[in-house]
């Protein structure tokens, strides 16, 4: 009979750990029921991915890398969600009345007997990694599937139709306070936070309720149970209660805020509700409380960073940051304010909404319903003798005029405009009715920006240069040896997108004398842009190509931004 080696001996024999590592792990204090392998992982001497195949070999059972397996829906149906979550098991295949299940501890005979009895079939356990197991349960059963399973008997599709009837508001409110619904909504929010999502979209349709996360600017379907439609009314009402909204009002849009605590700190949730034919749709924006970026972390190249450092030290003038919604304009402005926020300076902002709370800065929330508009707030701000002002957005003539006159009376002002590029900011102000001489004399710089996705560092790989990329980079065949282009192949860490995180690309239109002269002549934005390029302005796309050469992003991302700005 062949002698079975202990797991420690096997790891040493395979060269995965040293004898010293094994001795260290053996002398380490262990908790009740804690295995040697767990101690080795805790000490950082080995990873679970390396340990589990060896453990499977030692136990004489199969090892399955569950992320590489496609599991049939019919197999998933054989094991209820609450079983999978409770026992931390995952059905993999079913053949000849034998269910192959992934488990974390195949030596737990009692649990395996319980599962065999509950499911009424033979069980074949295989060993899987813990993180992969949890991801698979979430992928195939959906976020909070076990939570919904606990309350499913209380609601049927027929009884769920009360969601659209006003007379049942009290019933909905009671259900929205149910512990399981509370837990399920929390799981959706926590799942978004863990996935680095910036938004949660809850979208009702006739036969389904979709939940999508916006990650790195792109929407991804969240893994949720199909039966979530039954709980649509309760889920939406729960979110409205959390955001202090009127749950009886379903005909009008509503806005609210929620603050939640997570492992990484506090998170502010900005909630917006819209009525649709099939119920209310919800968008939840996730904002980390107190997270204010530094100028160095924005993605500015050295010349842009040095120029901006000098720009924000000027005693007066306006700096406009331009771009569409979601392009990171507010983050750039907050980084500037954070650099200028000193005890000897008075900094006041007026915003809609206040996205980040900044200590030492007086922040005003616009409230149009009671007459507190940007223009009204600006007039009051000037009476408080500010040194630096930030206006969330210049939307109309009145706000633009007060902003410009504030800068002419010795204030440094930051604001945003919705335009495609930096030169478009000039024509936007002129279209509002601002006189050209006011624009030319008050504005110091227009900064356009966009966000591009960063290549995932875990699956980053070099790709060959194509003729199109060579043309965009303006390089010849002889120069290609010094240029390396990268892309992400796609891996578990980046959800197989090839991207993880974002950075900004910029375009700085500096108000030189020739540019001011063109503004006074009311020329088109195209002519202003051409003149600025001739003076050395780097366009958004050109800035993007530098980041491609630096290995930060991909040509596809830069070309996408090029289409947006063209």
């Amino acid at each position: 009979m062949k002698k079975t080696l202990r797991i420690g001996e096997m790891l040493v024999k395979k060269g995965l750990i040293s004898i010293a590592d094994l001795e260290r792990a053996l002398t380490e204090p262990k908790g009740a029921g804690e295995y040697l392998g767990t101690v080795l992982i805790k000490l950082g001497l080995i990873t679970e991915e390396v340990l589990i195949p060896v453990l499977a070999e030692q136990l004489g059972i199969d090892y399955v890398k569950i992320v590489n397996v496609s599991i049939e829906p019919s197999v998933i149906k054989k094991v209820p969600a609450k079983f999978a979550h409770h026992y931390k098991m995952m059905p993999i295949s079913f053949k000849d009345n034998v269910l192959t299940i992934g488990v974390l501890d195949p030596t737990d005979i009692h649990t395996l007997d319980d599962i065999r009895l509950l499911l009424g079939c033979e069980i074949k356990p295989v060993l899987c990694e813990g993180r992969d197991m949890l991801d698979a349960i979430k992928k195939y059963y959906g976020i909070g599937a076990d939570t919904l399973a606990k309350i499913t008997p209380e609601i049927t599709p027929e009884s769920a139709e009360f969601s659209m009837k006003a007379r049942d508001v009290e019933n909905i409110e009671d259900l929205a306070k149910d512990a399981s619904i509370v837990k399920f909504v929390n799981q959706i929010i926590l799942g978004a936070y863990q996935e680095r999502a910036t938004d949660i979209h809850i979208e009702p349709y006739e036969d389904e309720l979709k939940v999508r996360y916006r990650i790195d600017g792109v929407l991804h379907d969240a893994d949720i149970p199909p039966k979530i439609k039954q709980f649509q009314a309760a889920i939406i009402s729960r979110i409205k209660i959390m955001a202090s909204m009127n749950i009886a009002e379903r005909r009008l849009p509503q806005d609210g805020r929620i603050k939640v605590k997570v492992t990484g700190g506090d998170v502010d949730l900005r909630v917006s509700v819209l009525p649709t034919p099939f119920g209310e749709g919800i968008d939840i924006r996730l904002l980390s409380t107190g997270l204010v970026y530094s100028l160095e972390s924005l993605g500015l190249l050295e010349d842009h960073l040095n120029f901006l450092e000098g720009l924000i030290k000027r005693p007066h003038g306006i700096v406009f940051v331009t771009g569409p919604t979601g392009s990171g304009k507010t983050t750039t402005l907050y980084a500037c304010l954070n650099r200028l926020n000193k005890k000897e300076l008075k900094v006041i902002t007026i915003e809609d909404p206040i996205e980040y709370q900044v200590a030492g800065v007086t922040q005003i929330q616009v409230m149009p319903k009671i007459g507190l508009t940007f223009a009204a707030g600006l007039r009051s701000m000037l009476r408080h003798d500010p040194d630096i002002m930030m206006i969330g957005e210049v939307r109309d003539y009145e706000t633009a005029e007060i902003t410009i006159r504030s800068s002419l009376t010795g204030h440094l002002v930051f604001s945003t405009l919705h335009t495609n590029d930096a030169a478009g900011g000039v024509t936007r102000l002129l279209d509002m009715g601002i006189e050209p001489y006011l624009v030319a004399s008050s504005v110091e710089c227009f900064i356009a920006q966009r966000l591009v996705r960063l290549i995932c560092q875990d699956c980053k790989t070099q790709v060959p240069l194509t003729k199109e990329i060579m043309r965009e980079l303006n390089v010849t065949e002889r120069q290609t040896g010094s240029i390396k282009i990268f892309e992400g192949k796609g891996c578990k860490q980046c959800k197989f997108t090839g991207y993880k995180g974002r950075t900004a690309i910029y375009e700085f239109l500096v108000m030189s004398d020739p540019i001011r002269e063109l503004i006074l002549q009311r020329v088109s934005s195209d002519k202003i842009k051409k003149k600025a390029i001739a003076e050395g302005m780097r366009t958004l796309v050109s800035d993007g190509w530098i980041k491609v050469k630096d290995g930060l992003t991909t040509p596809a991302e830069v070309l996408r931004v090029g289409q947006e700005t063209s």
Side-chain angles (χ1 to χ4, degrees), residues 183-236:
K183 181 181 177 183
F184 181 69
V185 171
N186 290 345
Q187 286 172 322
I188 290 177
I189 295 170
L190 182 61
Y193 176 78
Q194 291 172 338
E195 297 280 1
R196 301 179 298 104
T198 54
D199 292 84
I200 305 169
H201 295 267
I202 300 176
E203 305 162 335
Y205 297 98
E206 186 173 7
D207 300 317
E208 65 175 332
L209 182 68
K210 276 190 176 181
V211 178
R212 297 196 286 174
Y213 295 156
R214 187 177 294 279
I215 304 169
D216 295 333
V218 179
L219 284 172
H220 299 269
D221 287 332
D223 298 318
I224 56 169
K227 63 179 71 174
I228 189 176
K229 179 68 176 177
Q230 298 178 22
F231 307 95
Q232 175 179 320
I235 291 166
I236 290 171

Side-chain angles (χ1 to χ4, degrees), residues 100-304:
T100 301
I101 58 169
V103 295
L104 302 181
D105 183 6
T107 62
D108 188 352
I109 303 300
H110 295 298
T111 296
L112 293 176
D113 285 341
D114 287 347
I115 295 170
R116 187 177 290 107
L117 183 64
L118 289 166
L119 299 181
C121 62
E122 284 302 311
I123 298 296
K124 178 188 175 184
V126 296
L127 202 56
C128 299
E129 294 162 38
R131 185 69 227 174
D132 288 352
M133 172 81 73
L134 296 176
D135 287 346
I137 292 172
K138 188 166 74 172
K139 175 182 176 182
Y140 288 100
Y141 287 99
I143 296 170
D146 59 325
T147 305
L148 292 188
K150 292 176 185 176
I151 54 175
T152 298
E154 301 171 18
I155 281 190
T156 63
E158 292 74 22
S159 63
E161 292 184 6
F162 67 71
S163 62
M164 302 302 290
K165 300 175 184 176
R167 59 186 172 84
D168 284 318
V169 168
E170 291 182 5
N171 295 349
I172 297 171
E173 185 171 7
D174 289 341
L175 185 59
K177 293 176 182 176
D178 180 273
S180 295
I181 288 294
V182 171
K183 181 181 177 183
F184 181 69
V185 171
N186 290 345
Q187 286 172 322
I188 290 177
I189 295 170
L190 182 61
Y193 176 78
Q194 291 172 338
E195 297 280 1
R196 301 179 298 104
T198 54
D199 292 84
I200 305 169
H201 295 267
I202 300 176
E203 305 162 335
Y205 297 98
E206 186 173 7
D207 300 317
E208 65 175 332
L209 182 68
K210 276 190 176 181
V211 178
R212 297 196 286 174
Y213 295 156
R214 187 177 294 279
I215 304 169
D216 295 333
V218 179
L219 284 172
H220 299 269
D221 287 332
D223 298 318
I224 56 169
K227 63 179 71 174
I228 189 176
K229 179 68 176 177
Q230 298 178 22
F231 307 95
Q232 175 179 320
I235 291 166
I236 290 171
S237 294
R238 172 60 192 165
I239 294 170
K240 290 168 75 174
I241 289 170
M242 292 171 72
S244 301
M245 297 180 183
N246 180 2
I247 69 165
E249 179 55 74
R250 300 191 184 117
R251 301 163 300 169
L252 296 173
Q254 295 187 65
D255 294 299
R257 299 190 82 129
I258 306 168
K259 180 174 279 190
V260 298
K261 287 186 178 294
V262 293
T263 307
D266 291 348
V267 177
D268 268 334
L269 308 177
R270 229 169 62 202
V271 184
S272 179
V273 176
L274 283 176
T276 77
F278 304 108
E280 291 167 297
I282 292 183
D283 175 79
I284 303 174
R285 172 69 57 88
L286 285 77
L287 302 164
S288 294
T289 303
L291 177 63
V292 179
Y293 290 87
S294 64
L295 289 177
E296 291 79 7
S297 66
L298 294 177
L300 291 155
L301 295 175
E302 188 176 1
D303 57 339
H304 279 168

Side-chain angles (χ1 to χ4, degrees), residues 27-42:
T27 56
E28 185 76 11
K30 290 193 291 185
E34 194 172 44
Y35 295 112
L36 174 64
T38 308
V39 176
L40 288 166
I41 293 172
K42 189 190 297 182

Side-chain angles (χ1 to χ4, degrees), residues 495-546:
K495 295 181 72 70
F496 300 95
T497 61
Y499 299 98
K500 190 175 181 181
R502 288 190 291 180
T503 190
I505 56 175
Y506 292 90
E507 179 178 288
F508 280 63
L509 175 59
V510 183
M511 302 302 281
S512 62
D513 289 338
I515 296 293
R516 288 191 171 96
E517 186 62 35
L518 291 177
I519 292 172
L520 293 173
Q521 297 172 18
R522 289 181 176 271
V523 302
S524 68
S525 61
D526 287 343
K527 290 183 179 179
I528 293 173
K529 186 171 185 176
K530 285 179 182 177
K531 182 63 178 175
I533 292 172
E535 290 186 341
M537 181 183 82
R538 188 164 63 242
T539 65
L540 285 165
V541 173
S542 299
D543 200 54
W545 283 116
I546 293 175

